[in-house]
Amino acid sequence: MAHVLSTGFEVMESNNPNGSPKIKGYNIINGNLSLATDGSTFISTNPAILADEIGEFPLSTKEDVHAALNAAKEAFPKWASTPAPTRGQIIGNMGRLLMDHKEELVRLQAREIGKTLKECGGEVQEAIDTCLFFQSEGRRLYGQTVNSELPDKELFTYRRPLGVCGIINACNFPSAVPFWKMIPAIMCGNTCVWKSPQDSPLLSFALARLMHEAGLPNGVINLIHGKGSGAGQHLVDAVDLGMVDKISFTGSTAVGKMIGEVCGRNLVSASLELGGKNPLVIMPSANLENAVEGAYWAGFGTAGQRCTSLGNLIIHEDIYDEFLELFMAKVKSTTIGNSMHYDGVLYGSMLSEKYATDFLKGIEMCEASGATKIWGNGRITKDNQPENFLGDASEGVFMWPHVFVDVTEDMECFHEEIFGPAVTIVKARDFEHGLHLANASPYGLSSAIYTNDRLEAYRYKTGIKAGMTGINNSTTGAEAHLPFGGVKGSGNGTRESGIWVIEAYSYWHAVNDELSGKLQLAQMDVDEIEINEIEVDYGFLA
Ligand code: UN1
């Protein structure tokens, strides 16, 4: 522990268990730490130990959001004209600082959202990988030289930044996902206003401080805290006021559609990464033990709170009973608890109480749909806990793993995402039926198949409508340099990560340079080439 959390981080008085620190958090606007203009605040708590208050943060007002947008606008011209390799170097510094402070950030993230230390480690690594990737993209922000159809004339293309980007992410991937967005954004020369998730404000504050420590000029990234319906909505409303040139959002499909509408009517670019009901098909030729591992991890890793988590588990009828038996043995032995106190837990608490409440509504929806619950019992409490729950369940918000069978295409729970540890199981008659079921939900984010039949794998890969597909792999676990995103209800076709995301944060500028000293008209002043009138006998080809 040291640096990131101690330098300039004010510890407040608290009654926290084990004396854990409570931090006073700030917005960062134009590099300055500031409170909400009306002084209002909210508290971030540890979802695994609700009595543990992590910090107090500004509940930002419209004025605060506008101040952040103005700071981003002010900073834009200078940052946009900073050489891209220099921007890349600052991003590289961020990656190195993340490496230096990985352990503290991992522990802070685990404390703030309840994810396991192992998964938080993977996630901070994903943020590091993103920085290292885009450090060198700063040296590769290529345009093209294009031949003109006219003599003494040159054509060029340049990537130009869009301007001020509004960044809104969810708290389930609170370090990797904002970095997926902001790192390419600033690499391209944009400036940002980052609305932190309300459930991971201290982590956002620490990350934003680290970005400034890396050499980021003031105003390039401005952090504002608050709730989705408050600061988040003010940021979206500012699109109608002409103050925002781009919104990048990860969250629910309903909110994504609302943001898409606002951006659409203003012709402002929107990157929307939304929900999923990710299907995983198990075919008889699969290695069943491997398939069980993949399905189990996809469904219950991260307590099912990834947008790529398994939704519909589609099992071929010939191996249904055998697979289910192996799968349920694993589900029943699931170790759950606070990973900061116990080793080897598969998952910890829900991300926050709000996620827990929404998850329980999802469980009710499955029951109302007519699905048969074969495992799971809602919220874990002292008197209602699975065998391998570790610790005192009353301290935080923990959920049982849930499994529903007899799910069919006509049920609501077949189509709707349940964000949490619940898997809905569907039986498939054959491959065609399995593929049909995999395509039948309104979403198209991730998908997977377990098969050792190469033709089936090929037909799945070509027949599925999804942004991502795993073959003999889980639905989760995208790497930081492949395009991430979905189709159908999972997004608007934009992608995060790798070289593909650069399209989302830049526009192409075509420049022509007329060197001839005269006006030459494209299409009209072009030399005509006549076909030569020579006799060729093609008869020998016959
Ligand atoms: C998300 O849940 O929003 O592919 C992102 C994965 C992770 C990212 C998930 N690398 O599951």
Side-chain angles (χ1 to χ4, degrees):
M1 279 296 225
H3 209 182
V4 174
L5 295 183
S6 59
T7 311
F9 283 78
E10 285 168 50
V11 179
M12 305 175 79
E13 270 192 32
S14 74
N15 298 320
N16 280 349
N18 311 322
S20 56
K22 176 176 174 186
I23 303 290
K24 185 158 181 62
Y26 292 92
N27 289 336
I28 305 181
I29 299 177
N30 200 26
N32 299 316
L33 305 187
S34 60
L35 297 169
T37 36
D38 65 2
S40 53
T41 56
F42 69 100
I43 304 279
S44 170
T45 52
N46 175 346
I49 307 176
L50 292 167
D52 181 23
E53 293 192 338
I54 289 178
E56 185 183 285
F57 299 86
L59 200 51
S60 305
T61 62
K62 187 158 124 186
E63 288 68 45
D64 300 319
V65 175
H66 286 193
L69 286 165
N70 288 333
K73 189 175 179 189
E74 256 321 76
F76 175 70
K78 191 154 178 237
W79 181 245
S81 59
T82 300
T86 306
R87 298 196 298 251
Q89 257 168 348
I90 295 170
I91 290 168
N93 287 348
M94 292 176 187
R96 281 182 286 281
L97 284 173
L98 283 178
M99 285 187 233
D100 290 350
H101 300 295
K102 183 172 174 183
E103 209 189 305
E104 309 135 68
L105 292 166
V106 165
R107 294 189 69 79
L108 164 55
Q109 178 168 315
R111 181 174 161 225
E112 199 163 36
I113 58 162
K115 260 172 43 167
T116 64
L117 288 169
K118 184 175 177 185
E119 286 202 56
C120 291
E123 185 183 342
V124 174
Q125 188 57 45
E126 202 166 340
I128 294 169
D129 296 343
T130 299
C131 291
L132 299 188
F133 183 90
F134 284 104
Q135 166 174 17
S136 18
E137 284 309 306
R139 294 188 180 274
R140 257 192 305 266
L141 200 58
Y142 298 145
Q144 295 113 342
T145 57
V146 180
N147 287 305
S148 171
E149 61 192 33
L150 295 159
D152 297 327
K153 184 175 177 185
E154 285 196 303
L155 310 179
F156 308 94
T157 67
Y158 299 90
R159 284 195 182 274
R160 305 291 189 210
L162 301 171
V164 173
C165 304
I167 307 292
I168 308 173
N169 63 291
C171 76
N172 64 332
F173 273 81
S175 35
V177 170
F179 271 58
W180 280 4
K181 297 175 184 302
M182 287 189 285
I183 296 300
I186 62 172
M187 191 277 291
C188 289
N190 301 284
T191 55
C192 300
V193 171
W194 176 19
K195 155 65 181 66
S196 163
Q198 68 195 52
D199 294 316
S200 54
L202 183 53
L203 183 70
S204 305
F205 186 45
L207 291 170
R209 296 288 298 269
L210 180 145
M211 290 171 128
H212 284 86
E213 193 184 339
L216 190 74
N218 291 341
V220 174
I221 287 179
N222 303 278
L223 173 72
I224 47 165
H225 296 284
K227 308 237 158 134
S229 54
Q233 189 64 49
H234 294 314
L235 184 53
V236 174
D237 291 345
V239 175
D240 274 333
L241 304 174
M243 299 173 84
V244 186
D245 303 298
K246 162 98 202 177
I247 293 273
S248 183
F249 170 77
T250 295
S252 73
T253 297
V255 174
K257 282 184 176 170
M258 178 277 286
I259 291 176
E261 279 176 31
V262 177
C263 289
R265 67 171 173 252
N266 289 286
L267 306 180
V268 161
S269 153
S271 286
L272 304 172
E273 296 301 340
L274 312 175
K277 182 77 182 177
N278 308 297
L280 190 155
V281 176
I282 318 280
M283 294 302 294
S285 66
N287 173 329
L288 286 198
E289 311 241 301
N290 190 27
V292 165
E293 287 284 338
Y296 177 66
W297 170 248
F300 301 109
T302 333
Q305 299 168 111
R306 293 188 186 218
C307 54
T308 51
S309 290
L310 171 58
N312 287 329
L313 176 55
I314 301 164
I315 310 172
H316 189 285
E317 61 184 15
D318 290 355
I319 40 120
Y320 186 89
D321 292 340
E322 189 185 348
F323 182 90
L324 199 60
E325 201 182 315
L326 293 169
F327 183 72
M328 289 313 298
K330 273 196 95 66
V331 173
K332 290 177 184 174
S333 69
T334 303
T335 306
I336 302 160
N338 181 349
S339 96
M340 296 189 79
H341 296 165
Y342 300 99
D343 287 338
V345 299
L346 180 79
Y347 68 81
S349 67
M350 298 299 281
L351 298 162
S352 73
E353 282 187 286
K354 185 188 170 302
Y355 282 85
T357 313
D358 288 350
F359 174 68
L360 291 176
K361 284 187 199 143
I363 293 302
E364 277 171 26
M365 181 264 289
C366 288
E367 278 161 3
S369 289
T372 313
K373 186 172 80 179
I374 58 166
W375 195 252
N377 209 4
R379 183 168 173 171
I380 299 175
T381 61
K382 269 195 161 149
D383 317 319
N384 169 31
Q385 56 182 57
E387 206 179 304
N388 291 336
F389 180 81
L390 303 175
D392 177 357
S394 63
E395 284 187 336
V397 270
F398 296 91
M399 293 291 159
W400 279 74
H402 292 73
V403 178
F404 290 88
V405 295
D406 301 330
V407 174
T408 50
E409 216 183 314
D410 54 332
M411 293 181 182
E412 192 182 356
C413 69
F414 176 96
H415 298 278
E416 288 309 316
E417 178 177 34
I418 304 156
F419 208 69
V423 168
T424 42
I425 298 188
V426 198
K427 200 182 264 187
R429 290 186 298 276
D430 52 24
F431 172 78
E432 288 307 324
H433 186 216
L435 177 60
H436 163 81
L437 291 167
N439 273 325
S441 91
Y443 296 101
L445 187 60
S446 187
S447 57
I449 186 168
Y450 276 86
T451 175
N452 277 314
D453 179 325
R454 295 183 62 231
L455 184 60
E456 251 167 33
Y458 171 78
R459 291 213 168 126
Y460 191 74
K461 177 171 78 175
T462 48
I464 189 84
K465 195 157 183 205
M468 295 169 287
T469 298
I471 298 170
N472 291 321
N473 198 6
S474 133
T475 51
T476 69
E479 298 184 30
H481 50 281
L482 257 190
F484 184 100
V487 291
K488 293 158 69 185
S490 297
N492 62 344
T494 50
R495 289 292 175 266
E496 319 236 46
S497 289
I499 50 170
W500 300 272
V501 69
I502 297 172
E503 294 299 326
Y505 292 98
S506 60
Y507 68 90
W508 282 110
H509 185 192
V511 173
N512 71 81
D513 187 0
E514 178 58 86
L515 301 147
S516 69
K518 58 185 180 197
L519 180 66
Q520 302 190 85
L521 302 180
Q523 296 91 38
M524 290 168 266
D525 293 340
V526 177
D527 285 345
E528 266 184 48
I529 308 296
E530 298 201 349
I531 300 231
N532 282 331
E533 296 293 327
I534 50 171
E535 291 283 310
V536 180
D537 182 357
Y538 292 99
F540 68 91
L541 294 175

